[in-house]
């Protein structure tokens, strides 16, 4: 069962989506839920169907005290690496919130201090705390929406389905058609790839 908070009622949960993808941005969300917020469906976004995530998104956005969602795109990922890009996306999502949190709960084990606000990293936090689970749903749904949009430009990669993850189908399309402007050039795009064509 998800806990409502870690130590403070005005704490933000933050999480990212798309870290392991070959194409598209890494997307982070940060959210502060009101005291007493409950939803029987809410869970780690990876445990939810697409329909349930899409159902939850407007509820979370409407009922939250404040939230922010931010994409960090391929060029920045290639420049600063995916870990730094993930943390940067979380920082920018926090900055987009209408009110700063009193405390930050971070999914995972790596983070850099955001201003002077205390934080705690929680491994598998999206399955332990409501605010992190809510952030995971927002990050995932906003990123999926973006990938479906750019799918229209390059349908041969089927991003509408694989969302840029390294599926066999996605890698076969890279073999056949090469890389697009949305692919992360610093990532190993194909298993047999030994050098980066930058």
């Amino acid at each position: 069962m998800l806990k409502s908070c870690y130590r403070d009622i005005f704490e933000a949960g933050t999480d990212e989506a798309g870290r392991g993808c070959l194409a598209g941005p890494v997307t982070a969300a940060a959210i502060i839920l009101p005291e007493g917020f409950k939803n029987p469906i809410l869970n780690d976004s990876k445990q939810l169907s697409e329909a349930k995530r899409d159902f939850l998104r407007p509820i979370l956005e409407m009922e939250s005290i404040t939230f922010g969602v931010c994409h960090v795109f391929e060029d920045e990922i290639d420049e600063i690496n995916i870990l730094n890009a993930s943390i940067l996306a979380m920082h920018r999502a926090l900055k987009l919130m209408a009110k700063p949190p009193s405390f930050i709960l971070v999914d995972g084990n790596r983070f850099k201090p955001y201003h002077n606000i205390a934080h705690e990293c929680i491994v598998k936090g999206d399955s332990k705390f409501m605010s992190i689970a809510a952030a995971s749903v927002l990050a995932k749904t906003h990123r999926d929406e973006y990938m479906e949009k750019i799918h229209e430009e390059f349908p041969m990669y089927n991003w509408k389905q694989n969302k840029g993850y390294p599926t066999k189908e996605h890698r076969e399309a890279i073999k056949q058609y090469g890389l697009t402007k949305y692919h992360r050039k610093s990532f190993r795009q194909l298993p047999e790839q030994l050098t980066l064509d930058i």
Side-chain angles (χ1 to χ4, degrees):
M1 186 173 169
L2 295 172
K3 296 176 187 173
S4 59
C5 67
Y6 179 77
R7 79 172 211 189
D8 196 309
I9 58 168
F10 207 64
E11 67 191 21
T14 186
D15 198 5
E16 50 72 27
R19 193 164 161 176
C21 294
L22 301 180
V26 61
T27 303
I31 186 168
I32 299 172
L33 294 172
E35 190 176 3
F37 177 86
K38 285 179 183 167
N39 188 291
I41 299 172
L42 182 59
N43 201 347
D44 166 15
S45 66
K46 294 184 286 296
Q47 306 300 320
L48 298 173
S49 66
E50 185 175 357
K52 284 183 178 175
R53 290 193 299 265
D54 290 343
F55 173 78
L56 279 168
R57 174 175 158 179
I59 294 170
L60 296 171
E61 293 180 350
M62 198 182 315
E63 294 191 23
S64 69
I65 291 171
T66 182
F67 74 94
V69 181
C70 177
H71 301 301
V72 169
F73 293 97
E74 311 76 32
D75 53 347
E76 263 190 299
I77 293 170
D78 290 337
E79 189 178 328
I80 64 175
N81 81 41
I82 188 60
L83 173 62
N84 287 324
S86 299
I87 294 169
L88 179 62
M90 290 183 197
H91 281 205
R92 287 178 179 170
L94 287 160
K95 190 177 180 182
L96 287 169
M97 295 197 306
K99 297 177 180 178
S102 56
F103 189 73
I104 303 164
L105 273 181
V106 184
D107 184 57
N109 61 2
R110 302 288 291 277
F111 193 65
K112 293 175 183 174
Y114 177 74
H115 297 311
N116 294 317
I117 302 169
H119 71 270
E120 187 78 29
C121 292
I122 311 282
V123 175
K124 295 186 179 173
D126 46 9
S127 61
K128 296 172 184 173
F129 290 94
M130 221 178 282
S131 61
I132 302 179
S136 78
V137 169
L138 292 188
K140 175 71 174 152
T141 53
H142 278 264
R143 187 181 186 280
D144 285 358
E145 183 178 65
Y146 176 84
M147 294 307 294
E148 285 164 19
K149 194 186 297 179
I150 64 171
H151 165 87
E152 303 303 323
E153 197 176 342
F154 294 99
M156 65 283 274
Y157 299 92
N158 200 16
W159 291 330
K160 190 173 184 180
Q161 187 67 38
N162 63 52
K163 305 301 190 289
Y165 281 92
T167 60
K168 186 179 178 185
E169 174 193 42
H170 189 183
R171 285 196 150 131
E172 286 299 322
I174 291 169
K175 267 186 192 175
Q176 187 172 351
Y177 302 105
L179 300 181
T180 68
K181 61 186 178 182
Y182 298 113
H183 281 97
R184 302 173 185 177
K185 309 301 189 292
S186 57
F187 275 49
R188 190 177 175 197
Q189 299 285 344
L190 297 170
E192 64 273 20
Q193 181 180 327
L194 296 175
T195 57
L196 294 169
D197 183 21
I198 300 177

